[in-house]
Amino acid sequence: MHAHLERGGPPPDVLREQRRIDRADHLVLVFPVYWWSMPALLKGWIDRVFINGWAFDYAPATGIQPRLHRLTTHLLPIAGDDAGLYERHGYGHALRTQIEHGIVDYCGSRRGVTAFVHESEQDDAQARTRNVDQAVGMIRDAISVPLDAR
């Protein structure tokens, strides 16, 4: 059992974050890609907020019981490299596996859209804007059209 549960529950800041998510149907995680994953600050937030007793239940007799079934989680990774590099080296697949499967699926949240913004540091401001608009539009469209209607 986590020590914070033995002391009466998570700290107030974690409870506030959990309540915010409890009021939402969709969670959009927007993050720069660092070392082919999310930054430590976002991972630390997930480690603190998505805990046993809220995001999932774990007991030796029953194993893992996901609890976030009502939530849809979308990912918007901001990548400096181009899509071809991600494809050639399997970086996109690896990132999706560790976050979609390792976090989203583990907690029972529905997988939403994962929309990369590639080449985020290119000099062409219009191309950057198009990339951002396309990724944001994919997630906006997914949120405005229910999963069961697609």
Side-chain angles (χ1 to χ4, degrees):
M1 179 179 283
H2 292 281
H4 65 267
L5 295 176
E6 293 172 6
R7 292 189 309 263
D13 63 324
V14 170
L15 287 173
R16 275 192 307 276
E17 294 299 300
Q18 290 172 343
R19 283 193 295 265
R20 287 177 59 204
I21 296 168
D22 284 340
R23 292 189 303 268
D25 295 325
H26 296 267
L27 174 65
V28 180
L29 300 177
V30 180
F31 56 92
V33 176
Y34 287 177
W35 299 107
W36 315 115
S37 186
M38 65 178 63
L41 188 61
L42 178 56
K43 179 63 169 64
W45 178 82
I46 290 168
D47 288 346
R48 292 189 74 226
V49 175
F50 286 62
I51 56 175
N52 187 14
W54 181 76
F56 61 91
D57 285 316
Y58 172 77
T62 58
I64 300 294
Q65 301 297 314
R67 297 189 63 194
L68 297 182
H69 300 290
R70 58 166 180 62
L71 185 68
T72 300
T73 302
H74 307 274
L75 306 175
L76 204 155
I78 312 298
D81 287 314
D82 64 80
L85 181 102
Y86 270 65
E87 181 65 31
R88 282 191 308 281
H89 296 287
Y91 296 145
H93 178 73
L95 186 142
R96 291 173 71 116
T97 298
Q98 65 179 304
I99 299 172
E100 289 176 353
H101 179 66
I103 298 170
V104 176
D105 293 351
Y106 189 87
C107 296
S109 177
R110 292 181 302 263
R111 285 188 195 185
V113 169
T114 295
F116 282 85
V117 174
H118 289 101
E119 299 181 274
S120 63
E121 298 178 16
Q122 64 182 305
D123 291 332
D124 184 342
Q126 288 180 334
R128 267 195 332 265
T129 299
R130 276 192 309 274
N131 290 347
V132 170
D133 288 347
Q134 180 181 10
V136 169
M138 291 170 63
I139 292 174
R140 181 198 58 234
D141 293 348
I143 291 172
S144 64
V145 177
L147 283 172
D148 54 2
R150 285 189 238 156

